[in-house]
């Protein structure tokens, strides 16, 4: 009996630790989720920085620089609340550099951090990102060592490096938002994955640039691996930034391979009462059928307005259904792969599904004419042209690239014609073709581009006829091709050449890039090609 009484007294002094817990010091909060793999995270009470990340008995947080929004909020008001199985951290920054609230949600027994960032205005630095700085994870998924820059020598700015005989950059880790569901830093044996996951369309609905925008994902620079979630940046920026609630987006540790976005249910955010978050009750859908685009290419439908964006692939039948869209009026865009085929306007009503079909109207796809030749496809990408298969993952100067100046190229061999023309590298590219007889009508050389740099635009000459110089494209203030980017505003240039210009026998088209700006090598004015067509 005495033993039983003693045991009861001892038990009364012990607080059982079941599931997720938070311990507090003057400097920090430490969350232990109670995960079977062991997952704890420490959050600074003064800045909101994550100062420790321990998973499966190993510390992964770089100790000299922490993980945070931008390069750190500086100072923030940090607190936490609980809601059922969740602990919700709120980091409020309101200073000269930031006006935002960042949320980190920890779930019982989970090895993930569910995040959301509510912005009132754009950070002073001009971009919005969350960056984890992790040690012990030197490998990258899905694109391998293209962003492994440790030990490299800078060859352009401070972000493109030569490592051995390969050029590498953090920019070469990018994927199109529409495809970029999961990316990870991993151990060399791939037993541990530390990943950012986009669980649904809400993860990018407040970002900018549309479905084909791409930005930095990963970079191993030697001291740590940067695993970065970009919400917006000026890296080939094509539209204004959106403010409001960015997310949910998820950071997750895994011991069972690469996680799937579909494994993450974030519907519980509807019940957390987070500033700026709009749940299912404020959303509706759009469904319909797309037409007028080739079945040889993927088809994408894109909804956007000043406040939100979302997208979806169509089915093989070209039917589509949107993600859950916040109620409002949207522009609905149709793409043949990445080539803009049409736009329309659609109203979205909360709780309802709106039916809205869309058909291609772009004359490059719908126009009736006779094609003399076509190099490349109207797909909004340089696919099929020389070096297009390498450009995403290396610098144009890389020794693995083919010669950018191949000489005169036959119109039947697009793969021999360079995907980009630079004023200081390979200007004046020539296409040759032969006609059985002269063409007795006006004709049109059409040059579809995906991206221009430094005011570059193409001016064609057909035999002895020089097309008028086109006006400068709308500027995009960012390096592009050298950073593995190819998508800009998709400008298309047509020129009418008079009857009799195209003669029986051999003919040529010469393409020069013109610009009022200058530059050297691969930073000289340039254009990236989508397709070149001659028709009448």
């Amino acid at each position: 009996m005495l033993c039983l009484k003693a045991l009861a007294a001892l038990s009364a002094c012990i607080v059982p630790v079941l599931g997720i817990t938070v311990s507090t010091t003057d400097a920090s909060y430490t969350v232990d989720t109670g995960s079977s793999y062991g997952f704890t995270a420490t959050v600074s009470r003064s800045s909101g920085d994550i100062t420790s990340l321990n998973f499966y008995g190993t510390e992964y947080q770089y100790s000299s620089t922490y993980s945070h929004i931008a390069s750190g909020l500086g100072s923030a008001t940090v607190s936490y609340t609980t809601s059922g199985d969740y602990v919700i951290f709120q980091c409020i920054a309101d200073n000269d550099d930031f006006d935002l609230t960042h949320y980190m949600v920890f779930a019982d027994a989970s090895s993930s951090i569910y995040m959301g960032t509510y912005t009132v205005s754009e950070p002073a630095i001009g971009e919005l990102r969350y960056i984890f700085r992790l040690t012990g994870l030197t490998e990258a998924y899905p694109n391998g060592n293209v962003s492994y820059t440790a030990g490299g020598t800078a060859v352009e700015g401070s972000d493109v490096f030569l490592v051995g005989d390969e050029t590498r950059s953090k920019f070469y880790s990018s994927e199109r938002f529409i495809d970029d569901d999961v990316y990870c830093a991993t151990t060399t044996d791939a037993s541990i994955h530390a990943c950012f996951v986009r669980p649904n369309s809400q993860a990018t609905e407040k970002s900018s640039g549309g479905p084909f925008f791409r930005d930095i994902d990963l970079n191993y620079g030697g001291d740590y691996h940067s695993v970065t979630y970009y919400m917006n940046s000026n890296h080939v920026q094509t539209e204004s930034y959106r403010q409001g609630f960015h997310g949910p987006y998820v950071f997750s540790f895994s011991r069972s391979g690469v996680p799937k976005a579909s494994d993450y249910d974030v519907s519980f955010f509807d019940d957390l009462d987070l500033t700026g978050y709009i749940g299912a009750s404020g959303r509706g859908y759009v469904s319909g059928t797309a037409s007028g685009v080739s079945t040889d290419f993927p088809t994408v439908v894109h909804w956007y307005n000043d406040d939100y964006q979302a997208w979806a692939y169509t089915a093989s039948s070209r039917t589509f259904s949107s993600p859950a869209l916040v109620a409002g009026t949207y522009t609905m865009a149709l793409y043949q792969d990445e080539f803009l085929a049409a736009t329309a306007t659609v109203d979205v009503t909360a709780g309802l599904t709106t039916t809205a079909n869309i058909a291609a109207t772009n004359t490059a796809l719908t126009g009736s004419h006779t094609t003399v030749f076509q190099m490349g496809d109207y797909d909004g990408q340089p696919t099929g042209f020389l070096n297009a298969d390498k450009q995403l993952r290396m610098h144009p100067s890389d020794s693995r690239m083919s010669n950018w100046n191949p000489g005169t190229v036959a119109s039947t061999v697009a793969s021999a014609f360079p995907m980009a023309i630079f004023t200081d590298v390979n200007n004046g590219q020539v296409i040759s073709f032969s006609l059985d007889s002269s063409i007795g009508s006006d004709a049109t050389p059409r040059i579809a581009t995906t991206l221009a740099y430094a005011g570059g635009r193409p001016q064609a000459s057909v035999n002895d006829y020089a097309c008028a110089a086109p006006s400068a494209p709308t500027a995009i203030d960012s390096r592009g091709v050298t950073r593995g980017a190819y998508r800009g505003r998709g400008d298309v240039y047509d020129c009418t050449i008079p009857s009799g210009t195209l003669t029986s026998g051999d003919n040529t088209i010469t393409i020069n890039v013109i610009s009022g700006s200058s530059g050297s090598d691969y930073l000289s004015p340039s254009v990236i090609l989508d397709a070149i067509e001659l028709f009448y």
Side-chain angles (χ1 to χ4, degrees), residues 42-44 47-53 59-73 102 104 113 115 129-135 196 224-227 251:
T42 300
V43 179
S44 166
S47 66
D49 286 1
I50 292 178
T51 61
S52 173
L53 281 169
E59 177 61 45
Y60 288 101
Q61 174 60 53
Y62 181 56
S63 60
S64 296
T65 312
Y66 298 132
S67 299
H68 36 225
I69 290 284
S71 296
L73 297 175
H102 180 66
M104 294 178 285
I113 307 174
M115 293 187 172
R129 69 177 186 185
Y130 195 96
I131 181 169
F132 279 94
R133 307 174 196 273
L134 307 176
T135 58
F196 262 126
Y224 56 84
H225 207 143
S226 299
V227 182
F251 174 80

Side-chain angles (χ1 to χ4, degrees), residues 342-358:
T343 59
T345 301
V346 63
D347 292 323
V348 176
T349 303
L352 298 179
T353 297
T354 300
T355 299
N357 300 324
I358 187 168

Side-chain angles (χ1 to χ4, degrees), residues 177-200:
F177 270 11
I178 193 171
D179 302 321
D180 201 16
D181 290 341
V182 181
Y183 51 93
C184 315
T186 77
T187 52
T188 53
D189 63 359
S191 62
I192 303 291
H193 288 72
C195 309
F196 262 126
V197 180
R198 292 186 171 98
N200 62 26

Side-chain angles (χ1 to χ4, degrees), residues 43-261:
V43 179
S44 166
R45 295 183 65 179
S46 61
S47 66
D49 286 1
I50 292 178
T51 61
S52 173
L53 281 169
N54 195 289
F55 177 70
Y56 204 60
T58 298
E59 177 61 45
Y60 288 101
Q61 174 60 53
Y62 181 56
S63 60
S64 296
T65 312
Y66 298 132
S67 299
H68 36 225
I69 290 284
S71 296
L73 297 175
S75 62
T77 301
V78 183
S79 61
Y80 77 90
T81 58
T82 60
S83 176
D85 292 333
Y86 304 101
V87 173
I88 305 104
F89 280 86
Q90 175 179 268
C91 309
I92 300 174
D94 186 1
N95 52 49
D96 290 342
D97 295 319
F98 301 98
D99 189 357
L100 60 79
T101 302
H102 180 66
Y103 295 99
M104 294 178 285
V105 181
F106 296 83
D108 182 54
S110 171
S111 300
S112 301
I113 307 174
Y114 297 82
M115 293 187 172
T117 308
Y118 173 74
T119 59
V120 176
S121 59
E122 188 68 14
I125 197 172
E127 63 178 25
L128 183 63
R129 69 177 186 185
Y130 195 96
I131 181 169
F132 279 94
R133 307 174 196 273
L134 307 176
T135 58
L137 303 166
T138 58
E139 307 305 306
Y141 171 88
N143 291 310
N145 63 11
V146 295
S147 57
Y148 188 112
T149 58
T153 302
V155 295
E156 183 180 298
S158 58
D159 49 33
V160 182
F161 295 86
L162 186 65
V163 181
D165 59 357
E166 296 183 357
T167 52
R168 298 180 183 174
S169 174
K170 58 188 177 183
F171 288 95
Y172 302 155
S173 68
S174 70
E175 292 288 348
R176 307 187 311 173
F177 270 11
I178 193 171
D179 302 321
D180 201 16
D181 290 341
V182 181
Y183 51 93
C184 315
T186 77
T187 52
T188 53
D189 63 359
S191 62
I192 303 291
H193 288 72
C195 309
F196 262 126
V197 180
R198 292 186 171 98
N200 62 26
S201 66
Q202 291 172 243
T204 49
E205 69 180 8
K206 281 291 188 178
S207 296
S208 299
F212 314 119
F213 184 75
R214 54 176 68 235
D215 217 325
I216 299 161
D217 285 346
L218 300 161
N219 178 216
Y220 183 73
D223 292 330
Y224 56 84
H225 207 143
S226 299
V227 182
T228 307
Y229 190 89
Y230 263 96
M231 288 160 270
N232 62 46
S233 78
N234 67 349
H235 303 149
V236 197
Q237 179 190 355
T238 56
E239 65 174 343
S240 299
Y241 296 148
R242 295 177 174 90
Q243 307 305 325
F245 191 94
H246 300 257
Y249 54 102
V250 184
F251 174 80
S252 186
F253 276 108
S254 169
R255 290 198 72 249
S256 52
V258 179
K260 297 178 181 178

Side-chain angles (χ1 to χ4, degrees), residues 335-468:
Y335 299 94
Q336 178 172 285
D337 207 339
E338 295 190 25
F339 187 79
L340 181 62
T343 59
T345 301
V346 63
D347 292 323
V348 176
T349 303
L352 298 179
T353 297
T354 300
T355 299
N357 300 324
I358 187 168
T361 56
N362 191 318
T363 55
L365 305 180
T366 63
S368 177
H369 56 244
T370 299
T371 297
V372 178
F373 73 80
Q374 182 175 321
M375 303 174 76
D377 296 304
Y378 293 111
D379 59 1
Q381 304 178 68
T383 306
F385 286 105
L386 183 70
N387 289 325
D389 59 334
K390 306 178 185 72
Q391 178 262 338
L392 286 173
R393 310 297 172 203
M394 63 187 75
H395 192 269
S397 66
D398 196 290
S399 62
R400 293 168 291 175
M401 288 282 189
S402 298
N403 186 345
W404 285 98
N405 202 1
T408 300
V409 173
S411 64
T412 55
V413 193
S415 61
F417 196 85
M419 59 157 280
I421 301 175
F422 307 84
T423 60
D424 196 42
V425 175
N426 62 342
N427 218 5
Q429 292 297 303
V430 179
I431 302 167
S432 65
F433 58 100
S434 182
L435 297 174
D436 292 334
S437 61
S438 62
I439 293 176
S441 65
D442 291 350
T444 300
R446 171 174 288 159
I447 303 172
T449 67
T450 66
L451 178 64
Y453 177 69
R457 61 272 196 193
Q459 182 180 22
S461 296
V462 182
N463 294 332
D464 293 329
Y465 183 84
C467 294

